[in-house]
Amino acid sequence: MSGWALLAFILAVALGTALTRFLPALYAHHAADPRVARLLQGVPAAALGALLVTSFETALPPHYLVTTLIALALAAVLAWRPGGVLWPVLGAVMVAALGLSLHIG
Amino acid sequence: MDTERTALVDPRALPIALGYLPVAFAFGLSAVALHLPGWFAIGLSLLVYAGASQFAALHLLQVGTPWLAAVVSIWLINLRMALEGLSFFRRVDWGRRLPYLALLLTDETFVAASLGDPIGPAAYRRLVWLPYATWVLGTAFGVAAGGLLPALLRHAFGIAIDALFVSLLVEAVQADRKTLWAATAGAVGAFLGSRLGGWSLVAGMLLGAAAYFAASLRPGGQA
């Protein structure tokens, strides 16, 4: 593919993605019906569950399931007490680094 | 609402940025490895800013997919953002800042910004600028200097976003038990959707939203 075709590719993808992001946002306030609002209220948590499934297998290299589970369990325990998300995340990263360096799979 | 106006960065932006860095780095590396020009990778990160579809773009170009088919495929991958935008931007009046703030919505910033109290434009901006900057700079670093970050550290940072999701889920469930139904159904939907080919996030979001709706219809189910 030539340079111009690649540039056109970027612009076409960017335009479509921008419209996908922007147009629903523009009309979001029209979703004021209580039933629609209640349906949309569940979307963030649903996305959270879906993202956990889709990214779980790629979070760490393959064959590090034990390290992954321990790191995420630590994050859940640390998050149970109020105090923000930074410590749970840093704790999980440190456990992941330790598990990877010790090859705990 | 925006009560805190002094902090430059929302603390929730840090783990997102940490998680983005190795992925963006890997994206830059992959593009160069596939003999695509560096400006192409950086341009995609700068103007598209959507990880899954950017990697898909590399794959589609690598296997020789026709130009238009590749573009339409990526639009379809990014359709889930319409659902996210519809859910997120209804809660606060964004005024004239909506267009450019909407362009910085990703799966991760959407989840971080949506759970909990509604946030306004200033708080949202504090959440989204660092992950975006990290994504673009990480891609540039990947293009320019592939081997600088030790592989162990690069891989360990990969857990950051999942740990953020787990933390947000714990907080959300503590505040509203129905979110557990939504998250569980979302996970099941994503699992089933991935078996149907590329629709995992959309399937998960639809099923999870329906589960939350059903849970809120039960007696005492109102939030």
Side-chain angles (χ1 to χ4, degrees), chain B residues 90-218:
Chain B
R90 74 190 165 84
R91 301 205 294 174
V92 174
D93 182 13
W94 298 85
R96 285 190 296 180
R97 282 172 287 194
L98 177 63
Y100 85 89
L101 289 174
L103 297 182
L104 297 183
L105 192 69
T106 64
D107 297 330
E108 292 78 17
T109 54
F110 160 68
V111 167
S114 297
L115 295 170
D117 295 331
I119 65 172
Y124 176 73
R125 194 167 51 241
R126 283 196 297 275
L127 177 70
V128 296
W129 77 262
L130 182 66
Y132 176 65
T134 305
W135 183 256
V136 176
L137 288 175
T139 303
F141 285 143
V143 167
L148 284 183
L149 195 66
L152 176 72
L153 209 54
R154 209 165 57 230
H155 289 142
F157 280 141
I159 201 79
I161 288 181
D162 276 34
L164 173 71
F165 291 156
V166 168
S167 305
L168 291 171
L169 184 60
V170 169
E171 284 183 7
V173 170
Q174 283 176 332
D176 177 4
R177 301 280 162 158
K178 293 193 298 297
T179 54
L180 189 58
W181 288 102
T184 305
V188 171
F191 181 77
L192 296 175
S194 66
R195 269 63 190 165
L196 298 174
W199 290 92
S200 53
L201 281 180
V202 174
M205 280 194 271
L206 292 176
L207 196 62
Y212 186 92
F213 183 76
S216 66
L217 290 179
R218 292 167 57 203

Side-chain angles (χ1 to χ4, degrees), chain B residues 19-108:
Chain B
Y20 278 6
L21 186 62
V23 184
F25 197 79
F27 174 71
L29 273 177
S30 305
V32 173
L34 293 173
H35 307 293
L36 289 163
W39 63 262
F40 176 74
I42 296 169
L44 273 179
S45 287
L46 198 64
L47 296 177
V48 178
Y49 185 40
S53 64
Q54 289 182 218
F55 277 99
L58 295 187
H59 173 73
L60 291 168
L61 294 178
Q62 183 194 11
V63 299
T65 308
W67 190 94
L68 188 60
V71 168
V72 172
S73 299
I74 292 167
W75 286 350
L76 289 176
I77 291 172
N78 288 336
L79 258 186
R80 69 186 183 283
M81 291 170 182
L83 202 57
E84 295 172 349
L86 201 57
S87 169
F88 178 62
F89 286 102
R90 74 190 165 84
R91 301 205 294 174
V92 174
D93 182 13
W94 298 85
R96 285 190 296 180
R97 282 172 287 194
L98 177 63
Y100 85 89
L101 289 174
L103 297 182
L104 297 183
L105 192 69
T106 64
D107 297 330
E108 292 78 17

